[in-house]
């Protein structure tokens, strides 16, 4: 079985470097107790904390990595306020999240998401592409929306780089403290199958590659529902927001991901 990918999206938290170090230490202690054979654990802190945490990741070993939550595609230049993907890589990130709904809400179109994704692959990063519908309408129009996000996000990516990409399916109504509820494992599984079907239509992608393509679940993941998404939902991993900021919850989620069949 391929490794499960467990991604902590800290968003714009915590408020101080000292807290970031403490949260990281607690999280890596939790990851350190696990074998590392079954899980790849990725912590995505605010970019400013990457250089603080990078030396600690090296000490923690191979099953733990750092990721960035966003980045700019040009390597350098007159782009006030931006941080380039290449800089993030140098600061210690080996993953990049692209297309998170909170970034899309701030203006990231499918086209920008695609640029960021391609720039990340070119810089040697692995990518987590977030997709998800705002609502699940009876007529099933959300499937077209999802398809559009997957196709546009992956446009122009050669098949040989697909092993560097995972998709996180995160329905908007399930994300964050305003969330109505998490998705159901069954609802997620249907979406994951649909996403793999869309991927199988891409040039150079065999049926086997599409079937093995990692689709993670994200949106109100908790210690209580993690096992269900991984077992009944057959999720390839989890993208965890709020629960990753609570060391006890994060530890329980990692343990569950290691022990759930
Ligand atoms: P949540 O966030 O786990 O707090 O719902 C998930 C995400 O936004 O990636």
């Amino acid at each position: 079985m391929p490794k499960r990918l467990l991604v902590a999206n800290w968003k714009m938290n915590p408020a101080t470097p000292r807290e970031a170090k403490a949260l990281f230490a607690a999280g890596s202690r939790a990851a350190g107790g696990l074998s590392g054979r079954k899980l790849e654990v990725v912590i995505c802190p605010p970019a400013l904390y990457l250089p603080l945490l990078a030396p600690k990741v090296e000490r923690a070993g191979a099953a733990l990595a750092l990721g960035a939550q966003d980045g700019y595609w040009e390597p350098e230049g007159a782009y006030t306020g931006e941080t380039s993907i290449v800089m993030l890589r140098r600061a210690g990130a080996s993953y990049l999240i692209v297309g998170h709904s909170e970034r899309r809400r701030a203006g990231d179109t499918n086209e920008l998401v695609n640029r960021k994704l391609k720039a990340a692959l070119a810089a040697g990063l692995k990518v987590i592409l977030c997709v998800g519908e705002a609502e699940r309408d009876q007529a099933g129009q959300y499937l077209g929306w999802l398809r559009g996000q997957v196709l546009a996000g992956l446009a122009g990516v050669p098949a040989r780089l697909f092993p560097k990409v995972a998709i996180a399916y995160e329905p908007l109504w399930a994300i964050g403290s305003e969330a109505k509820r998490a998705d159901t494992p069954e609802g997620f599984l249907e979406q994951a199958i649909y996403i793999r079907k869309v991927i199988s239509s891409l040039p150079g992608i065999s049926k086997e590659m599409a079937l093995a393509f990692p689709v993670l679940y994200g949106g109100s993941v908790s210690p209580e529902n993690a096992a269900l998404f991984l077992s009944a939902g057959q999720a390839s991993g989890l993208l965890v927001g709020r629960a990753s900021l609570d060391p006890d919850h994060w530890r329980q989620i990692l343990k569950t991901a290691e022990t759930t069949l």
Side-chain angles (χ1 to χ4, degrees):
M1 197 175 117
K3 281 189 185 184
R4 283 179 173 152
L5 191 55
L6 272 287
V7 186
N9 178 11
W10 287 1
K11 308 193 181 183
M12 205 171 71
N13 299 292
T16 66
R18 181 201 278 255
E19 287 169 279
K21 283 197 221 163
L23 183 58
F24 182 84
S28 57
R29 266 199 302 280
L34 307 169
S35 70
R37 274 183 295 115
K38 293 190 182 162
L39 304 185
E40 166 92 2
V41 179
V42 184
I43 310 286
C44 302
L48 203 57
Y49 299 151
L50 286 170
L52 286 182
L53 304 179
K56 298 180 191 296
V57 169
E58 275 162 34
R59 260 174 267 135
L64 189 66
L66 287 174
Q69 301 168 15
D70 187 32
Y72 197 73
W73 54 89
E74 294 292 349
E76 59 186 78
Y79 304 100
T80 303
E82 299 289 358
T83 304
S84 82
I85 289 165
V86 171
M87 291 170 185
L88 294 167
R89 159 126 213 180
R90 288 197 193 108
S94 44
Y95 280 81
L96 183 70
I97 298 175
V98 296
H100 191 280
S101 64
E102 286 154 15
R103 299 289 343 143
R104 292 184 190 263
R105 208 183 301 139
D108 276 16
T109 59
N110 274 334
E111 199 219 320
L112 296 191
V113 170
N114 178 248
R115 275 201 209 182
K116 292 177 179 186
L117 185 145
K118 286 193 289 199
L121 292 175
L125 295 178
K126 294 184 189 164
V127 180
I128 297 144
L129 167 63
C130 299
V131 299
E133 77 282 357
E135 58 177 328
R136 222 172 260 177
D137 58 305
Q138 293 286 339
Q141 283 189 11
Y142 65 93
L143 290 174
W145 174 256
L146 202 58
R147 183 167 183 275
Q149 287 187 331
V150 172
L151 291 180
L154 295 171
V157 175
R160 69 182 161 77
L161 290 179
F162 270 60
K164 305 265 181 215
V165 183
I167 285 187
Y169 169 69
E170 302 200 297
L172 268 61
W173 41 267
I175 295 177
S177 50
E178 307 280 292
K180 294 192 194 111
R181 59 173 177 89
D183 198 358
T184 59
E186 297 73 25
F188 164 73
L189 182 56
E190 273 176 32
Q191 303 298 72
I193 291 170
Y194 180 70
I195 287 168
R196 293 195 177 104
K197 191 166 162 239
V198 173
I199 287 176
S200 73
S201 71
L202 292 168
I205 305 296
S206 64
K207 204 169 154 216
E208 290 68 36
M209 276 172 87
L211 282 174
F213 191 88
V215 183
L216 322 184
Y217 172 72
S220 297
V221 172
S222 67
E224 290 74 36
N225 64 23
L228 281 175
F229 281 107
L230 293 167
S231 54
Q234 298 174 34
S236 318
L238 302 167
L239 176 50
V240 187
R242 277 159 296 158
S244 72
L245 297 171
D246 179 322
D248 278 339
H249 288 178
W250 181 237
R251 194 175 305 122
Q252 285 174 49
I253 290 170
L254 293 183
K255 185 102 198 118
T256 299
E258 199 187 54
T259 50
T260 303
L261 292 178

